[in-house]
Amino acid sequence: MKQICIKVPEALLYSDTLSDRAKIVFIMITREAPYANDNKLAKMLKMSKVTYQKYVRELIAAGWLERETIRVNGQVMTVEYNIYAYDKEDR
């Protein structure tokens, strides 16, 4: 596996409102950007997709991520994430 260094926002790292697993999901989405794939990331983290999505929703609710579903002719083609360096209260 290639070695990648990423910066993790201190506010996220030390947040007492986010679960530790949500923090790991944020780090992995950031690491894999711009090609983050929910199925691949859930598998890498040894989580079910349902569990993975629970932590994504936690990050979205806290303002660390926004999720956009890209559809073509009504079919889901991909999901894109906007990743923020600050939670929504500090933006």
Side-chain angles (χ1 to χ4, degrees):
M1 185 178 285
K2 62 184 175 180
Q3 298 294 316
I4 297 174
C5 291
I6 62 166
K7 292 183 178 182
V8 178
E10 283 190 16
L12 178 129
L13 189 61
Y14 297 114
S15 171
D16 56 3
T17 60
L18 283 177
S19 67
D20 291 342
R21 295 196 77 186
K23 294 173 188 179
I24 296 297
V25 168
F26 180 89
I27 290 166
M28 291 303 292
I29 289 172
T30 302
R31 180 186 183 277
E32 295 296 315
Y35 305 108
N37 175 289
D38 287 352
N39 292 325
K40 176 183 171 187
L41 289 173
K43 187 174 181 179
M44 287 172 69
L45 293 167
K46 297 178 176 38
M47 296 178 181
S48 70
K49 188 170 178 187
V50 170
T51 299
Y52 171 84
Q53 289 174 338
K54 175 178 87 169
Y55 295 115
V56 167
R57 286 191 304 274
E58 184 179 341
L59 291 162
I60 291 169
W64 290 101
L65 291 179
E66 285 183 354
R67 180 182 174 140
E68 182 179 355
T69 303
I70 309 300
R71 297 177 187 271
V72 175
N73 297 325
Q75 290 188 315
V76 175
M77 297 305 291
T78 191
V79 173
E80 293 182 356
Y81 292 102
N82 293 318
I83 303 167
Y84 295 102
Y86 303 98
D87 65 11
K88 62 185 171 188
E89 292 177 11
D90 292 332
R91 276 189 255 132

